[in-house]
């Protein structure tokens, strides 16, 4: 028996984990000789496909030279190159790059930057506004700014208070914007944190760029910092390099991780404006930004990220994204026509729909059944309750997309016929 305690895994119900030996492109190869299509990019991290030869080569090349070095007082070429590139491809207003190693940490850093900004300016604010159903990570700070759910219910008494805005449902967007305007007027709101365009773990909930634009305007009007958590939506997921691009807005702080290294090594960055950086910049050592992770700016991860970013220029990545979007749109039309499907939705390369069930929610009984069924048919999907979604690497072939669609269809038929175990 393995000693490993796996993430988001109820071991009492899922005693066996699948041993993966090798990955390539959109495929996982298991120890018992099966090939699985990775329809969720290994938890949303993969972009260009697994084990891309250029990323592999870049990490190999880096490994023999500089593996890890303390990042306080020291720097290195892979991090400098990456920071310069990130500054270039985001907005001109974002001038500073803080490294860390996971999406959760990137968000913690963003929150600390925002609160520290007001404190160091001598005008402390402590309010944080978030969306209902938001997900920003699993550390205590990021759970606090996440929507209340089964994920964080056990820790509720220890989470700090935040202001939750209603999710901008279609046709009711003004309620979100008005609620935020009222809140922001109080003068104590330091920051608004959002997952732009798509709320991931909250159920692949989608809303339009005009909402982002309106919220951004309210932020500007009341001096509230706008934090974009693009940990999932970044790197082309929503059809543009960053989701905020579609709204034509520049956040004050942006959090990036997952696809930054094309999902090959753990790395995250939090980018800020010069204004925020300057609030900490002082001969006063007490104003230092006191945050680090041991592996901040790991050179191997930076080398992987540099190689991944270069692929955006060397390969037709945007074309792949557009192609994938078009194929998914066809598939979605097909599913939307089924009587057992509702809320069919699509942004960039994220396609989702809900299955009509009697017990909706993350713990809906249908989720684990669909998970097992699709795996038995060679497809990795991880339904969020009754929400089925597809979020594949951009190298997915038409054949593989068709295989995913066929598997989903069979799974839905089995649900309808009551034969899904
Ligand atoms: C996955 C995710 C995180 C957390 O990232 P980790 O690397 O798992 O810590 C934060 N925000 C969003 C929007 C995410 O999807």
């Amino acid at each position: 028996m393995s000693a490993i305690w796996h993430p988001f895994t109820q071991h009492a119900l899922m005693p066996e984990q699948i041993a993966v030996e090798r990955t390539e492109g959109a495929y996982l190869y298991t120890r018992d000789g099966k090939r699985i299509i990775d329809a969720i990019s290994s938890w949303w991290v993969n972009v260009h496909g697994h084990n891309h030869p250029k990323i592999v080569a870049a990490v190999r090349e880096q490994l023999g030279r500089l593996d890890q070095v303390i990042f306080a007082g020291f720097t290195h070429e892979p991090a400098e190159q990456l920071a310069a590139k990130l500054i270039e491809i985001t907005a001109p207003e974002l001038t500073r790059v803080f490294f860390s190693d996971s999406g959760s940490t990137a968000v913690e850093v963003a929150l600390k930057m925002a609160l520290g900004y007001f404190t160091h300016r001598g005008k402390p604010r402590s309010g944080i506004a978030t969306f209902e159903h938001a997900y920003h990570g699993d550390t205590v700070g990021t759970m606090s700014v996440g929507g209340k759910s089964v994920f964080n219910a056990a820790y509720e008494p220890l989470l700090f208070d935040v202001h939750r805005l209603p999710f901008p449902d279609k046709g009711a967007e003004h309620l979100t914007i008005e609620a935020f305007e009222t809140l922001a007027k109080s003068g104590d709101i330091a920051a608004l944190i959002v997952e732009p365009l798509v709320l991931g773990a909250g159920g692949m909930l989608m809303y339009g760029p005009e909402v982002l634009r309106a919220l951004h305007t309210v932020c500007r009007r009341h001096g509230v910092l706008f934090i974009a958590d693009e940990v999932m939506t970044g790197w082309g997921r929503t059809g543009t390099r960053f989701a905020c691009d579609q709204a034509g807005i520049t956040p004050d702080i942006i959090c990036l991780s997952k696809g930054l290294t094309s999902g090959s090594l753990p790395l995250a960055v939090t980018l800020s404006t010069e204004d925020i950086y300057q609030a900490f910049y002082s001969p006063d050592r007490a104003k230092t930004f006191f945050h680090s992770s041991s592996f901040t700016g790991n050179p191997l991860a930076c080398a992987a990220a540099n190689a991944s970013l270069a692929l955006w220029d060397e390969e037709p990545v945007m074309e792949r994204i557009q192609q994938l979007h078009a194929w998914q749109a066809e598939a979605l039309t097909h599913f939307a026509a089924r009587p057992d499907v509702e809320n069919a939705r699509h942004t960039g390369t994220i396609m989702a729909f809900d299955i009509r069930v009697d017990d909706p929610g993350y713990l809906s009984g249908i989720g684990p059944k669909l998970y097992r069924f699709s795996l038995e048919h060679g497809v990795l999907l991880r339904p969020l309750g009754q929400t089925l979604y597809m979020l594949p690497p951009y190298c997915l072939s038409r054949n593989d997309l068709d295989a995913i669609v066929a598997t989903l269809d069979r799974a839905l038929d089995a649900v309808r016929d009551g034969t899904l175990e």
Side-chain angles (χ1 to χ4, degrees):
M1 202 193 68
S2 167
I4 298 172
W5 192 343
H6 287 265
F8 271 60
T9 300
Q10 178 46 274
H11 283 265
L13 299 173
M14 247 184 76
E16 296 289 328
Q17 315 298 316
I18 299 166
V20 175
E21 235 168 35
R22 194 166 68 80
T23 56
E24 190 185 336
Y27 305 125
L28 317 177
Y29 294 91
T30 69
R31 192 161 61 198
D32 57 4
K34 293 210 183 79
R35 193 187 78 176
I36 298 171
I37 303 172
D38 188 352
I40 58 161
S41 299
S42 279
W43 247 347
W44 321 343
V45 299
N46 203 280
V47 173
H48 305 302
H50 289 279
N51 265 311
H52 192 289
K54 289 203 173 150
I55 297 176
V56 172
V59 174
R60 280 222 170 95
E61 154 77 8
Q62 183 58 39
L63 184 57
R65 212 175 321 161
L66 167 60
D67 53 357
Q68 164 67 20
V69 66
I70 178 172
F71 209 56
F74 292 83
T75 190
H76 50 76
E77 185 50 32
E80 293 294 344
Q81 187 190 326
L82 178 55
K85 183 75 181 172
L86 288 167
I87 293 300
E88 179 197 316
I89 64 174
T90 54
E93 293 89 342
L94 296 168
T95 58
R96 300 289 165 174
V97 182
F98 191 93
F99 284 95
S100 61
D101 44 24
S102 75
S104 301
T105 315
V107 171
E108 295 278 356
V109 165
L111 296 171
K112 284 173 70 173
M113 280 178 177
L115 295 168
Y117 168 82
F118 286 100
T119 304
H120 295 327
R121 282 279 152 98
K123 298 196 170 81
R125 293 186 181 193
S126 60
I128 307 277
T130 74
F131 273 12
E132 254 173 8
H133 310 300
Y135 176 84
H136 296 291
D138 289 330
T139 53
V140 173
T142 58
M143 279 196 294
S144 299
V145 294
K148 291 188 188 193
S149 75
V150 66
F151 301 159
N152 52 36
Y155 319 103
E156 179 75 40
L158 287 173
L159 304 183
F160 57 75
D161 279 336
V162 298
H163 304 272
R164 293 195 170 79
L165 305 174
F167 176 80
D169 279 315
K170 212 171 180 53
E173 290 90 346
H174 62 284
L175 297 178
T176 308
I177 296 154
E178 284 160 18
F180 183 49
E181 178 89 55
T182 306
L183 185 65
K185 267 190 207 150
S186 73
D188 185 45
I189 305 303
L192 166 72
I193 178 163
V194 294
E195 296 159 88
L197 301 186
V198 186
L199 275 62
M204 295 298 161
L205 306 176
M206 302 179 184
Y207 63 95
E210 67 288 348
V211 179
L212 282 179
R213 230 170 0 248
L215 292 172
H216 187 258
T217 303
V218 175
C219 278
R220 284 286 168 277
R221 191 148 54 225
H222 300 287
V224 176
L225 297 175
F226 187 105
I227 303 174
D229 176 356
E230 294 232 25
V231 169
M232 183 194 75
T233 54
W235 311 114
R237 257 314 142 200
T238 66
T240 42
R241 176 108 63 167
F242 303 111
C244 282
D245 297 348
Q246 288 179 48
I249 55 162
T250 302
D252 298 289
I253 300 177
I254 186 169
C255 307
L256 301 168
S257 186
K258 292 192 171 133
L260 171 60
T261 60
S262 190
S264 59
L265 283 171
L267 186 68
V269 287
T270 308
L271 273 68
S272 89
T273 57
E274 191 61 23
D275 195 29
I276 294 171
Y277 177 80
Q278 288 300 331
F280 292 82
Y281 189 88
S282 157
D284 180 359
R285 287 173 61 210
K287 288 191 175 177
T288 304
F289 186 52
F290 290 110
H291 195 101
S292 97
S293 328
S294 306
F295 292 102
T296 303
N298 175 261
L300 300 174
C302 289
N306 284 325
S308 176
L309 289 192
L311 285 173
W312 282 84
D313 301 324
E314 294 162 7
E315 295 188 355
V317 180
M318 262 355 254
E319 285 81 350
R320 279 182 202 144
I321 289 170
Q322 281 152 14
Q323 180 63 79
L324 187 53
H325 176 84
W327 292 341
Q328 285 181 326
E330 266 179 61
L332 196 63
T333 307
H334 164 76
F335 287 117
R338 292 188 61 118
D340 45 359
V341 162
E342 59 187 352
N343 303 327
R345 51 201 187 269
H346 194 194
T347 301
T349 63
I350 309 171
M351 180 202 109
F353 56 80
D354 300 340
I355 303 167
R356 293 179 201 274
V357 292
D358 300 330
D359 63 340
Y362 183 80
L363 297 181
S364 175
I366 203 169
K369 292 180 187 172
L370 288 169
Y371 173 76
R372 279 194 299 272
F373 181 94
S374 48
L375 267 183
E376 278 159 20
H377 292 80
V379 178
L380 170 58
L381 289 162
R382 248 187 95 91
L384 292 157
Q386 78 284 8
T387 299
L388 264 171
Y389 70 91
M390 192 201 298
L391 190 156
Y394 306 149
C395 64
L396 192 81
S397 70
R398 175 72 204 219
N399 270 350
D400 289 334
L401 183 113
D402 289 344
I404 298 169
V405 170
T407 302
L408 276 174
D409 247 336
R410 268 196 264 177
L412 289 173
D413 289 346
V415 174
R416 181 198 57 206
D417 304 340
T419 56
L420 190 70
E421 296 295 308

